[in-house]
Amino acid sequence: MSIFYFVAFLSIFFALMTIFTKNPVHSVLYLVITFFTFTVHYILLNAQFLAVVNFIVYMGAIMVLFLFVLMLLNLNKDTEPMKSTIVKIMGTVAGMCLLVTFLGAFRVIEVNNEAITPHANIGLVKNLGQVLFKDFLLPFELSSILLLTAMVGAVLLAKKDTNKA
Amino acid sequence: MGTIVEQIQGIPLNHYLIFCSVIFAIGVIGVLIRRNVIIIMMSIELMLNSVNLLLAAFSAYHGDASGQVFVFFIMALAAAEVAVGLAIVIMVYRNTKSIDIDSLNKLRW
């Protein structure tokens, strides 16, 4: 059980590095490491399907997209706009206030702490696939339409407007 | 596989709650203190991921597969959101020659 605490510490450390690093490319790379630690968390939860999907979609597709846009726009440390110190301090204090509010709320509510896992292998691909294609068939098909729409929209938005002016 | 399941049973669900809210708060701080649009979108991804992990944890602790299916849908949604968002960022950069979020203040009032 100490693996969880170690990986959780790594996640928090790399998440902090993501938002506090000046160079955007380093920031993306730290985010990749953060997502890798999340994959380890999914494996610890015995959610193997989610671990694989997280690995492929987040660490593969989304991070390549971020890196590609960063390099396409040719951004580096010198062009990075920074906020003033007072705004940074106020933002940090506001985030800490949110965290304290969360923790206070968790103290009030009663969470059932012991793990009741009658089917400990619900996260396996076979079982999750049966749930996905029996109970959630319509949302699954709708999400495919959503992805198609997003793809068409992204291509339309990023295309250069040739017949303008 | 049995050892992994024994691994998670020693950890209270409360610790997952605390850990995920810490990550979520880091994402909120990232949105508040950075001006680079791409880093703001990365912070949003961080928040989405913390919520995903919490859903998966609740699903594993209660033996209900619906939570993990929701996480799958949220991941599909996040991919769509990132694609459209980065297309908008490219268009904004083409028009304003910067990705400073404070240069987009025409809609403020």
Side-chain angles (χ1 to χ4, degrees):
Chain A
M1 65 185 274
S2 59
I3 300 176
F4 167 74
Y5 298 106
F6 178 63
V7 181
F9 167 75
L10 281 185
S11 309
I12 292 173
F13 175 73
F14 286 118
L16 283 174
M17 291 297 283
T18 304
I19 64 167
F20 286 125
T21 313
K22 295 274 191 294
N23 193 331
V25 177
H26 291 179
S27 204
V28 173
L29 294 179
Y30 282 126
L31 193 64
V32 171
I33 303 176
T34 312
F35 285 160
F36 180 72
T37 57
F38 272 88
T39 305
V40 177
H41 277 299
Y42 285 129
I43 292 173
L44 282 180
L45 279 173
N46 208 10
Q48 295 166 10
F49 175 69
L50 288 183
V52 172
V53 169
N54 193 59
F55 197 85
I56 295 173
V57 172
Y58 271 106
M59 288 180 61
I62 293 185
M63 285 306 108
V64 166
L65 213 58
F66 271 116
L67 268 182
F68 180 72
V69 170
L70 269 179
M71 293 178 177
L72 188 72
L73 302 186
N74 195 15
L75 302 165
N76 49 31
K77 221 181 316 186
D78 305 330
T79 56
E80 163 79 0
M82 295 304 282
K83 277 194 171 158
S84 61
T85 315
I86 181 105
V87 177
K88 276 186 178 174
I89 293 173
M90 278 170 62
T92 312
V93 168
M96 291 300 170
C97 288
L98 179 72
L99 183 59
V100 168
T101 312
F102 277 147
L103 296 186
F106 296 152
R107 282 185 72 86
V108 175
I109 59 169
E110 287 289 324
V111 180
N112 190 7
N113 264 328
E114 70 255 33
I116 34 169
T117 45
H119 318 289
N121 46 5
I122 50 164
L124 304 188
V125 180
K126 185 182 167 195
N127 303 325
L128 214 54
Q130 274 172 353
V131 175
L132 189 60
F133 286 107
K134 273 183 188 153
D135 301 339
F136 291 91
L137 186 58
L138 180 65
F140 181 76
E141 299 293 342
L142 283 180
S143 75
S144 71
I145 296 177
L146 174 85
L147 281 176
L148 178 69
T149 317
M151 192 180 75
V152 173
V155 170
L156 267 183
L157 276 175
K159 192 166 64 88
K160 243 189 191 107
D161 209 353
T162 48
N163 49 6
K164 196 172 80 175
Chain B
M1 213 35 70
T3 56
I4 292 181
V5 177
E6 284 162 23
Q7 282 273 345
I8 69 159
Q9 281 175 345
I11 300 164
L13 191 50
N14 255 330
H15 292 186
Y16 272 104
L17 272 171
I18 293 167
F19 165 62
C20 289
S21 42
V22 168
I23 296 281
F24 190 87
I26 290 173
V28 171
I29 292 172
V31 170
L32 290 179
I33 68 171
R34 296 304 288 259
R35 276 169 66 189
N36 191 334
V37 182
I38 296 179
I39 297 196
I40 287 176
M41 285 182 63
M42 280 160 51
S43 304
I44 292 172
E45 291 300 313
L46 213 54
M47 289 195 265
L48 274 174
N49 252 293
S50 76
V51 174
N52 275 352
L53 181 62
L54 196 54
L55 267 176
F58 270 111
S59 156
Y61 274 67
H62 289 271
D64 186 359
S66 307
Q68 303 200 1
V69 176
F70 285 164
V71 173
F72 176 69
F73 286 133
I74 292 174
M75 280 177 182
L77 209 77
E81 173 237 326
V82 166
V84 175
L86 288 178
I88 292 175
V89 168
I90 287 181
M91 212 174 59
V92 165
Y93 182 77
R94 213 175 269 152
N95 286 323
T96 66
K97 294 295 170 216
S98 93
I99 51 166
D100 187 353
I101 195 128
D102 287 1
S103 65
L104 304 175
N105 54 6
K106 296 271 163 44
L107 282 177
R108 185 181 276 169
W109 295 109

